[in-house]
Amino acid sequence: MWITPEEVLLANALWVSERANPFFILQRRKGHGKGGGITGLLVGTMDVVLDSSARVAPYRILHQTGDSQIFWSIACGSSRKEITGHWEWLETNLLQTLSIFDNDEDITTFVKGKVSGIIAEENKSKAAQEDEDSGKFREAEQKMRKLFGMPGEEKLVNYYSCSYWKGRVPRQGWVYLSVNHLCFYSFLLGKEVTLVVQWTEVTRLEKNATLVFPESVRVSTRHTEHYFSMFLNINDTFKLMEQLATIAMRQLLDNEGFSADRTLPKACKTLKNVSALKRDLDARAKNERYRALFRLTPDERLDGHTDCTLWTPFAKMHIVGQLFVSNNYICFCSREEDLCQLIIPLREVSIVEKADSSSVLPCPVSISTKNKMTFLFANLKDRDFLVQRISDFLQRTPDKLWSDGHPLALSGYSVSQSEGMCVSPSPSTTPLSSSLPTPTGAGGEPSQGRHYSPSLPTATQGLLRIYQKDDPEDHGPKATKEKMKEESWNIHFFEFGRGVCMYRTSKTRELVLNGIPESLRGELWLLFSGAQNEMATHPGYYAELVEQAMGRCTLATEEIERDLHRSMPEHHAFQNEMGIAALRRVLTAYACRNPGIGYCQAMNIVTSVLLLYCTEEEAFWLLVALCERMLPDYYNTRVVGALVDQGVFEELTRECLPLLYEHMQELGVISTISLSWFLTLFLSVMPFDSAVLLVDCFFYEGIKVIFQVALAVLHANMDTLLDCTDEGEAMTILGRYLDNVVNKQTVSPPIPHLHALLTSGDEPPPEIDVFQLIKSSYDQKFGSLRADVIEQMRFKQRLKVIQSLEDTAKRSVVRAIMTDSAFSIEELEELYVLFKAKHIMSCYWGASCTAAERHDPSLPYLEQYRIDLEQFCQLFGALGTWLCGTHTVTLAARHFRLLDSNKDGLINFKEFVTGLSGMYHGDMTEKLKLLYKLHLPIDILPLQDSSCISIRIQCNIAMSVSEVKDYKYYLRMWAKEKEPKIETIKDLPRMNQEQFIELCKTLYNMFSEDPLEQELYHAIATVASLLLRIGEVGKKFTNNCAKKPTDTTYTQAPTLSAELPQPEKEESNGESSSGQSLVCKALAEAQLETPPQQTSDEEVKDDTSVSSYSMVSTGSLQCEDIADDTVLIGCAGDQQRRGSTLDGDWSITFEQVLASMLTEPPLVDYFEKKGDIQARMATCKMQRGVERQVSSSSDHELAQLST
């Protein structure tokens, strides 16, 4: 490529000149190409260690003038072909022009200007991202693609100098971290080491320090472990590895490839060796930390942050911390944990102004909100820029007018309409009807045909308040305690503010741990979870979603209906239609919003608790916050998030309670008990009044409080658990303990606990105060848990859990398919790995359809992953036994269409294995039947299952009936479809002449690499001649019978050819020679497709054996001189004219093909031979070599890659 001219003082140092003229020199790097000796080894090693550009561009062109000692580098190239093209362009376009100049300085100026102009033209056609990357980085990306054979779609993120430990020997080189691969390359004194690891194969990634590997990174896969050390900045490298591994795990979960952020603002200047993708990933990491810290929505993007101080009126002091600004929020977090946290939505901001600066209060900014709160930030480094950015965001923020009647504006919606959102009317404030609703009444289902309206009781208040409004007022000590809690919160609101802009301090956490009053529970859950912000910015969304979702019949709605009456049946709020209908609407609306999750068991329990304290819409947004932010991946089909946290809990138990952990592992209890704890937040294992206090703490603290309480439960029962001898006894102890965790301060009437009261003997178990349990979880060493530590542990466990689930899926697929396949279990597992690797590769290297269309999690495992025609052709070429040179792609395409039973352009793993099984394990009849079918049009094949390929038939076959049938008709049809269908060879349609010619071409190409190819050529020539004569005899017999309409099974236009002219009526001998000439012509074409190996003239002259496949020309020999078993290649004269027309009446059957093949022993041996798929799978895996070591005197492999 052309490069910006740079000065070169020593032109011949480490370079060899190959061409020269008065103005330019073409040079090659020493050590590149064959030869080079010890100098080449040293230069090659130095280039790798120092990351020299000569490693990727070993050729260059220098400009020189006269006697000047200064040279200018103007072009470089990775191959001789590339650099020669530049050299020839210079000779053609510049040499004659440069000879006119008299001054050397003018020549140099002209050349530099010309090269700069060429570069400018090339840059216009490049993508914006490539322009943003530095030239050094683009050079490294090009180097990575050449070294590891990556396509242009593979994007490099960053690369680092490090050592790779091969055994006990470190190999210094470079590690390249791309979006989908970890690659390493080293070349030291002729020893080359290349490593390629897919991120989707990584099972463990950790940073450790040992005596053998000082401060290293360990990358583990299912079969090997790799150690890297000697990083300049190991922390940054490891963080990037974690991000890329997380993206890969997300790809395995959701089947979505990585997409770069196109809205990322460009850097002010090009950063050296930092790619746009690296900046993108850094921005994503910051956004994730920011959103997790302040419980913000997934679309929130951090614009920037700065150090500052915040004046806190409640403490009368300035608190040091950081100010964060994003597109919808201004947030503050103190440097000291739990001292102060603040969230200010921009929709609430009314005034932003710069206050007067002083020595006591330098560079202050005052922010006022609509609810009359003012926040004063000071010590801002770039105050003017900050105010300008906030002003810009405010201009883009739609004005959300909140009702003045409620601090959170829960009783009304905005009157303005934001983009893409519909506005619902304000909820009605009409009094609740005194009568309980019925399934068709106004309380349970809204009138006027709508499923949800603001007039519903559950649209304005929680179920608990609805069913407690008629209860007599309690003046006992519990009610007094509850009122004291309410008063404490009111004092807190007065001092710290109320609503989304409230100061959140250690005092707030203390009040939460003491229990939230029932009257404030719904409001504070919304506030602490961040659901309030999402609800405020999406007015009317829930109502519209309910109308859209209700009435649909899906798998999720069926599961919801099944679990509705199992949701807190002991609570009277869910013993009637009002509570059940509200629960149905919320769960169905969420299943419609997030089809990826749909509905999962345990969601009904959590949602029913939310509905007790919140309105329907509030419960919906709280469910969104739980499933999508606070408990990620918990409620999907494989409960991955819960399994990950279960692994984290086991790791925490090992660290905090090592003795108990070892004993519990022996019993296998931890994995059994913890899943229900995390999925339902203890709601299913504790009395309701106690568990709801844990939900209070969870919405404020996050998942760490659940871990703390779980550890406290184990610690409280440690002595008893250590004496357990089996799993059942341990579960009984823990169940009894949790059943007796009581809340003595609750004011609600007691709710019967449906769990069995597990007692031993007549002595009742002691009661445990839930407040004491929560306090002990904070006071002990468990209280030191931090959110960032939990996230780090989650990452480790996520790799382990997802890869374990993938292994389980693989075993399930193999078990389901091994009875229908002749492959062994090990072979099926390896085939599944290769098949899935092709599917995953399509997700990040492009495909004809999106990944979502190829992956359906609702299907069985063996049908989830699917590949298209292009990927099937690649696997067919690598694993198939019928390789036909350039004809392989055509044969693979026919095979794919035969396997694609539903005609959607995709095949699943079961269909793929079925197709391979016919080639590898079928007998001769089955293989020939498959080969015969591959050359017939798909639309004329019978619908029955073939014994050689066993194509899966869809249950819902389309039936062209206009009248409506009763259910008995469809039951009979279903029973008929379920009957085993046995296809005989007589069921196969007849083959016409064009299809027979294509079959002959396939067979010819198939034998080209066989050791007995001459015998096979002779055999197939004999069989082809015999079948031609059989077809002619059959045609005569048909013509002598009464005239019948043309058989549509073999006169349809072939799928692989254009329209053919109508056959001419000729004499029988002419027709026979016409058919033979067509076969000759087809075999000639096949011969051109797969050229034979080069032979000497003597071998050609001596090859006159009658038993060999003799290729002669009719132009040089008389027809009568040709032996009967010699195939004619290229017919001349009248024969050629007749050969151009197909005989439409000619046809043969499969029985005739089979019988003819059985007469030739070489063909019988060939088709009876069993294939070795193990060797082919090993070769296929080596195409993407995991590791190789090459000993050579130069790096000529790089040169071979580039040519």
Side-chain angles (χ1 to χ4, degrees):
M1 63 179 178
W2 299 104
I3 59 176
T4 304
E6 297 178 353
E7 275 192 11
V8 177
L9 297 178
L10 299 175
N12 295 320
L14 307 180
W15 293 84
V16 179
S17 298
E18 294 193 342
R19 294 188 187 183
N21 59 41
F23 303 103
F24 303 103
I25 302 174
L26 189 153
Q27 293 185 325
R28 172 180 56 85
R29 186 74 166 180
K30 288 183 179 179
H32 181 78
K34 296 182 179 180
I38 188 65
T39 304
L41 291 177
L42 292 174
V43 173
T45 301
M46 183 181 67
D47 288 343
V48 171
V49 173
L50 300 180
D51 192 33
S52 171
S53 59
R55 184 65 185 169
V56 69
Y59 297 96
R60 72 178 182 182
I61 296 177
L62 301 180
H63 166 63
Q64 65 171 354
T65 55
D67 298 329
S68 175
Q69 297 300 318
I70 298 176
F71 298 81
W72 295 88
S73 176
I74 61 173
C76 64
S78 59
S79 65
R80 188 179 296 276
K81 180 180 180 181
E82 180 185 1
I83 203 68
T84 301
H86 291 336
W87 179 265
E88 292 176 351
W89 186 90
L90 290 172
E91 287 186 330
T92 304
N93 297 280
L94 289 189
L95 277 186
Q96 187 175 0
T97 304
L98 295 180
S99 61
I100 302 174
F101 288 89
D102 297 330
N103 190 344
D104 291 346
E105 293 184 1
D106 294 341
I107 293 176
T108 301
T109 303
F110 179 80
V111 171
K112 289 167 63 177
K114 192 69 175 177
V115 172
S116 299
I118 295 174
I119 294 173
E121 287 294 327
E122 290 178 347
N123 287 340
K124 288 182 181 179
S125 59
K126 291 183 178 179
Q129 179 180 340
E130 294 181 355
D131 290 340
E132 189 177 343
D133 293 341
S134 65
K136 183 72 173 176
F137 187 85
R138 290 200 299 269
E139 186 179 281
E141 188 171 47
Q142 183 183 0
K143 184 190 306 182
M144 177 203 72
R145 290 171 183 161
K146 288 188 175 296
L147 288 173
F148 307 106
M150 300 290 179
E153 293 85 357
E154 185 70 2
K155 301 298 183 183
L156 178 65
V157 180
N158 212 347
Y159 62 105
Y160 303 92
S161 173
C162 69
S163 292
Y164 168 59
W165 291 80
K166 185 171 176 57
R168 295 185 177 181
V169 181
R171 301 296 177 90
Q172 184 66 30
W174 293 84
V175 62
Y176 297 86
L177 305 180
S178 68
V179 173
N180 305 295
H181 296 87
L182 179 151
C183 308
F184 176 83
Y185 181 79
S186 173
F187 181 84
L188 296 176
L189 300 178
K191 297 290 185 178
E192 186 180 42
V193 176
T194 304
L195 176 74
V196 178
V197 178
Q198 286 189 359
W199 290 116
T200 52
E201 295 297 322
V202 174
T203 58
R204 192 172 183 180
L205 183 65
E206 60 182 355
K207 182 177 61 175
N208 51 21
T210 62
L211 293 175
V212 181
F213 304 111
E215 200 173 26
S216 61
V217 174
R218 180 170 71 174
V219 181
S220 303
T221 63
R222 287 178 175 83
H223 308 293
T224 58
E225 290 185 347
H226 309 284
Y227 290 88
F228 302 89
S229 63
M230 304 293 290
F231 290 96
L232 293 177
N233 192 333
I234 192 170
N235 292 326
D236 289 349
T237 307
F238 186 71
K239 285 180 182 177
L240 180 57
M241 288 181 173
E242 282 186 329
Q243 278 186 281
L244 295 172
T246 301
I247 291 172
M249 294 306 105
R250 179 57 55 188
Q251 184 180 333
L252 289 176
L253 270 182
D254 301 336
N255 214 59
E256 291 294 338
F258 173 80
S259 58
D261 187 359
R262 301 298 180 187
T263 62
L264 186 71
K266 290 188 177 182
C268 300
K269 61 179 180 179
T270 302
L271 303 175
K272 184 179 180 181
N273 296 345
V274 177
S275 66
L277 276 178
K278 178 66 166 60
R279 290 181 55 240
D280 183 1
L281 291 175
D282 289 343
R284 292 182 190 216
K286 291 180 180 178
N287 287 333
E288 289 173 3
R289 288 193 295 268
Y290 169 65
R291 291 192 292 259
L293 181 61
F294 299 104
R295 306 277 173 82
L296 302 178
T297 55
D299 58 345
E300 199 62 28
R301 299 164 59 90
L302 179 64
D303 188 69
H305 59 89
T306 182
D307 294 332
C308 70
T309 60
L310 170 66
W311 171 253
T312 52
F314 55 88
K316 301 297 188 292
M317 61 181 292
H318 292 278
I319 296 179
V320 179
Q322 281 192 322
L323 181 70
F324 301 83
V325 178
S326 60
N327 47 331
N328 292 300
Y329 297 91
I330 300 171
C331 302
F332 175 84
C333 184
S334 61
R335 186 175 298 174
E336 184 180 345
E337 191 176 4
D338 292 333
L339 190 57
C340 182
Q341 192 181 84
L342 184 65
I343 301 173
I344 308 174
L346 291 180
R347 65 178 183 272
E348 287 295 297
V349 174
S350 58
I351 300 174
V352 178
E353 58 183 352
K354 292 181 281 188
D356 295 335
S357 181
S358 66
S359 59
V360 180
L361 200 64
C363 301
V365 171
S366 173
I367 300 177
S368 300
T369 62
K370 296 174 183 177
N371 58 356
K372 310 304 181 185
M373 294 184 70
T374 301
F375 306 95
L376 186 63
F377 300 93
N379 292 283
L380 295 165
K381 293 181 180 178
D382 199 344
R383 181 175 62 166
D384 295 339
F385 178 75
L386 174 66
V387 172
Q388 182 60 45
R389 291 300 294 166
I390 295 176
S391 300
D392 292 342
F393 285 128
L394 283 172
Q395 291 177 2
R396 307 174 201 167
T397 304
D399 186 21
K400 299 292 181 183
L401 300 177
W402 289 28
S403 172
D404 297 332
H406 192 281
L408 287 180
L410 301 183
S411 61
Y413 298 124
S414 171
V415 297
S416 64
Q417 183 171 356
S418 61
E419 181 179 355
M421 297 300 168
C422 297
V423 181
S424 68
S426 298
S428 174
T429 56
T430 55
L432 181 66
S433 174
S434 58
S435 60
L436 288 176
T438 62
T440 58
E445 294 292 339
S447 58
Q448 299 179 356
R450 292 184 63 84
H451 296 91
Y452 175 83
S453 74
S455 61
L456 282 173
T458 52
T460 56
Q461 51 189 329
L463 289 170
L464 204 61
R465 185 172 297 181
I466 294 174
Y467 286 93
Q468 287 182 352
K469 67 182 183 66
D470 294 330
D471 293 344
E473 188 175 357
D474 189 3
H475 297 285
K478 291 184 179 180
T480 304
K481 183 73 172 178
E482 186 77 3
K483 289 182 179 180
M484 290 175 62
K485 286 184 182 180
E486 292 179 6
E487 188 61 29
S488 298
W489 276 101
N490 288 330
I491 294 172
H492 184 275
F493 292 148
F494 178 79
E495 188 175 357
F496 296 90
R498 187 171 187 174
V500 289
C501 299
M502 178 178 68
Y503 292 98
R504 308 178 192 202
T505 66
S506 55
K507 178 68 174 176
T508 311
R509 186 177 75 168
E510 183 180 337
L511 288 175
V512 171
L513 296 183
N514 288 330
I516 299 176
E518 290 188 353
S519 59
L520 297 174
R521 185 161 276 147
E523 173 187 335
L524 293 177
W525 282 0
L526 283 168
L527 178 64
F528 296 144
S529 65
Q532 174 57 44
N533 291 317
E534 204 160 7
M535 188 176 77
T537 55
H538 295 77
Y541 177 83
Y542 172 71
E544 189 175 306
L545 201 59
V546 169
E547 300 305 324
Q548 180 182 348
M550 294 299 291
R552 290 184 178 182
C553 183
T554 63
L555 180 62
T557 57
E558 292 177 3
E559 293 176 346
I560 290 170
E561 290 296 327
R562 187 168 58 244
D563 286 349
L564 281 177
H565 294 278
R566 305 175 187 172
S567 308
M568 294 190 68
E570 66 273 18
H571 200 289
H572 54 276
F574 295 98
Q575 293 171 357
N576 59 80
E577 186 60 26
M578 179 188 290
I580 295 297
L583 182 61
R584 178 187 293 112
R585 286 191 291 270
V586 173
L587 291 175
T588 306
Y590 186 77
C592 181
R593 167 189 167 88
N594 194 341
I597 293 178
Y599 172 76
C600 175
Q601 285 188 345
M603 286 175 66
N604 59 322
I605 297 175
V606 175
T607 307
S608 59
V609 173
L610 300 178
L611 282 168
L612 289 176
Y613 299 99
C614 306
T615 66
E616 277 189 44
E617 186 175 12
E618 293 167 357
F620 170 79
W621 288 112
L622 278 170
L623 185 63
V624 170
L626 274 173
C627 296
E628 298 176 11
R629 297 198 298 277
M630 302 190 72
L631 296 175
D633 300 321
Y634 259 60
Y635 301 107
N636 55 24
T637 53
R638 298 191 281 183
V639 293
V640 174
L643 293 175
V644 169
D645 281 351
Q646 179 180 288
V648 173
F649 179 58
E650 291 186 13
E651 191 173 347
L652 289 172
T653 306
R654 184 175 64 247
E655 293 178 1
C656 302
L657 306 169
L659 291 178
L660 182 60
Y661 171 77
E662 293 179 3
H663 185 67
M664 298 283 276
Q665 283 295 100
E666 293 176 1
L667 301 179
V669 176
I670 296 181
S671 59
T672 306
I673 61 174
S674 57
L675 194 60
S676 61
W677 295 3
F678 293 112
L679 273 174
T680 64
L681 303 176
F682 285 97
L683 287 167
S684 62
V685 294
M686 267 190 195
F688 169 75
D689 295 327
S690 302
V692 77
L693 293 175
L694 297 182
V695 178
D696 293 343
C697 301
F698 167 75
F699 278 121
Y700 185 80
E701 293 275 28
I703 192 63
K704 80 166 195 171
V705 72
I706 304 299
F707 285 119
Q708 290 175 187
V709 172
L711 290 171
V713 169
L714 292 183
H715 183 266
N717 295 275
M718 184 166 62
D719 295 336
T720 314
L721 290 173
L722 287 174
D723 296 333
C724 293
T725 57
D726 57 46
E727 178 185 359
E729 185 181 357
M731 293 183 65
T732 301
I733 291 171
L734 292 172
R736 182 193 305 123
Y737 180 88
L738 292 172
D739 273 334
N740 289 278
V741 177
V742 297
N743 177 10
K744 299 179 181 179
Q745 299 180 10
T746 181
V747 295
S748 300
I751 300 174
H753 194 204
L754 293 187
H755 296 279
L757 189 61
L758 303 173
T759 60
S760 55
D762 298 331
E763 183 180 348
E767 292 183 345
I768 300 95
D769 188 1
V770 66
F771 292 100
Q772 188 62 36
L773 176 63
I774 294 174
K775 183 180 178 181
S776 65
S777 71
Y778 277 90
D779 292 344
Q780 297 175 2
K781 54 184 176 181
F782 318 132
S784 59
L785 278 178
R786 296 201 320 271
D788 57 339
V789 175
I790 292 176
E791 284 303 316
Q792 185 67 30
M793 298 171 73
R794 275 178 166 177
F795 166 76
K796 293 181 183 179
Q797 295 300 325
R798 191 177 293 114
L799 290 177
K800 186 187 302 183
V801 166
I802 293 179
Q803 297 293 9
S804 175
L805 290 174
E806 292 297 312
D807 291 340
T808 302
K810 179 175 66 176
R811 290 192 293 269
S812 300
V813 169
V814 170
R815 282 198 301 268
I817 206 174
M818 64 182 182
T819 55
D820 300 329
S821 171
F823 291 115
S824 66
I825 294 178
E826 293 77 13
E827 291 172 344
L828 286 173
E829 288 182 349
E830 291 188 32
L831 283 173
Y832 180 82
V833 170
L834 292 174
F835 183 89
K836 187 177 178 183
K838 280 293 178 188
H839 168 85
I840 292 176
M841 194 178 296
S842 69
C843 298
Y844 53 74
W845 282 351
S848 58
C849 59
T850 63
E853 294 173 349
R854 299 162 173 268
H855 179 69
D856 186 357
S858 64
L859 294 175
Y861 280 127
L862 74 164
E863 299 182 15
Q864 283 189 9
Y865 298 105
R866 297 180 288 176
I867 59 175
D868 60 12
L869 174 59
E870 181 181 357
Q871 295 163 330
F872 177 80
C873 290
Q874 295 171 1
L875 287 175
F876 185 89
L879 301 175
T881 57
W882 298 340
L883 302 183
C884 309
T886 56
H887 197 65
T888 303
V889 176
T890 304
L891 188 64
R894 292 171 178 166
H895 203 171
F896 180 86
R897 284 194 292 270
L898 187 63
L899 295 174
D900 185 16
S901 56
N902 57 358
K903 305 297 183 293
D904 62 348
L906 299 169
I907 62 169
N908 59 41
F909 180 67
K910 183 179 180 180
E911 294 166 335
F912 172 73
V913 170
T914 300
L916 282 183
S917 184
M919 289 191 292
Y920 275 96
H921 299 290
D923 57 20
M924 181 178 180
T925 302
E926 292 172 343
K927 290 180 180 178
L928 286 177
K929 190 189 297 184
L930 174 59
L931 200 60
Y932 184 87
K933 282 187 172 185
L934 293 180
H935 294 82
L936 293 176
I938 300 298
D939 52 356
I940 69 170
L941 287 175
L943 290 178
Q944 288 85 357
D945 288 352
S946 169
S947 59
C948 66
I949 61 173
S950 305
I951 298 178
R952 180 176 59 88
I953 300 296
Q954 302 291 331
C955 292
N956 51 348
I957 299 178
M959 293 174 292
S960 57
V961 290
S962 56
E963 68 275 7
V964 178
K965 304 290 185 181
D966 63 355
Y967 73 96
K968 293 182 180 180
Y969 170 81
Y970 292 106
L971 284 176
R972 288 194 299 270
M973 292 293 296
W974 179 80
K976 187 176 181 181
E977 291 170 7
K978 290 299 180 183
E979 293 178 358
K981 303 176 181 62
I982 302 176
E983 180 191 68
T984 64
I985 58 178
K986 294 184 179 180
D987 296 328
L988 293 174
R990 301 175 69 87
M991 177 177 284
N992 65 22
Q993 196 172 80
E994 166 116 12
Q995 295 153 4
F996 174 68
I997 291 171
E998 291 295 325
L999 176 62
C1000 290
K1001 289 172 63 176
T1002 299
L1003 290 171
Y1004 175 85
N1005 286 281
M1006 191 184 300
F1007 303 147
S1008 61
E1009 298 180 1
D1010 194 275
L1012 302 176
E1013 62 175 313
Q1014 294 300 325
E1015 290 82 353
L1016 290 170
Y1017 288 155
H1018 173 76
I1020 197 59
T1022 304
V1023 168
S1025 300
L1026 176 60
L1027 287 172
L1028 280 172
R1029 290 194 289 270
I1030 290 174
E1032 294 299 329
V1033 172
K1035 185 181 68 173
K1036 290 180 181 178
F1037 179 78
T1038 304
N1039 291 338
N1040 290 334
C1041 299
K1043 290 187 178 180
K1044 297 181 180 180
T1046 305
D1047 190 351
T1048 58
T1049 61
Y1050 62 87
T1051 58
Q1052 296 182 10
T1055 59
L1056 300 177
S1057 64
E1059 283 191 348
L1060 300 172
Q1062 295 295 326
E1064 298 177 1
K1065 296 296 181 179
E1066 299 178 349
E1067 295 180 1
S1068 59
N1069 57 353
E1071 291 167 344
S1072 176
S1073 61
S1074 173
Q1076 287 202 2
S1077 64
L1078 276 171
V1079 176
C1080 297
K1081 192 172 183 180
L1083 294 181
E1085 294 174 358
Q1087 168 68 14
L1088 293 176
E1089 289 177 4
T1090 311
Q1093 297 179 352
Q1094 294 182 356
T1095 57
S1096 62
D1097 295 339
E1098 290 78 8
E1099 291 175 347
V1100 175
K1101 292 178 182 178
D1102 295 338
D1103 192 10
T1104 57
S1105 173
V1106 174
S1107 62
S1108 65
Y1109 179 48
S1110 305
M1111 293 174 289
V1112 296
S1113 172
T1114 57
S1116 58
L1117 292 175
Q1118 298 296 326
C1119 292
E1120 56 266 26
D1121 296 331
I1122 302 175
D1124 293 337
D1125 57 353
T1126 302
V1127 178
L1128 302 179
I1129 303 301
C1131 302
D1134 186 61
Q1135 286 182 335
Q1136 186 174 4
R1137 181 187 63 80
R1138 289 197 301 264
S1140 62
T1141 302
L1142 290 172
D1143 191 344
D1145 296 331
W1146 186 97
S1147 66
I1148 55 173
T1149 64
F1150 174 73
E1151 299 100 306
Q1152 294 166 343
V1153 174
L1154 178 61
S1156 302
M1157 291 282 191
L1158 290 173
T1159 61
E1160 295 293 329
L1163 293 176
V1164 175
D1165 295 340
Y1166 180 85
F1167 284 103
E1168 289 289 351
K1169 181 173 56 177
K1170 301 295 183 182
D1172 183 12
I1173 197 171
Q1174 287 283 1
R1176 293 190 177 274
M1177 287 190 295
T1179 304
C1180 186
K1181 287 187 290 187
M1182 286 302 295
Q1183 290 178 356
R1184 177 68 61 192
V1186 176
E1187 180 183 355
R1188 71 177 188 272
Q1189 183 173 353
V1190 180
S1191 178
S1192 64
S1193 59
S1194 65
D1195 61 343
H1196 62 274
E1197 290 81 11
L1198 184 61
Q1200 290 176 351
L1201 279 174
S1202 61
T1203 55

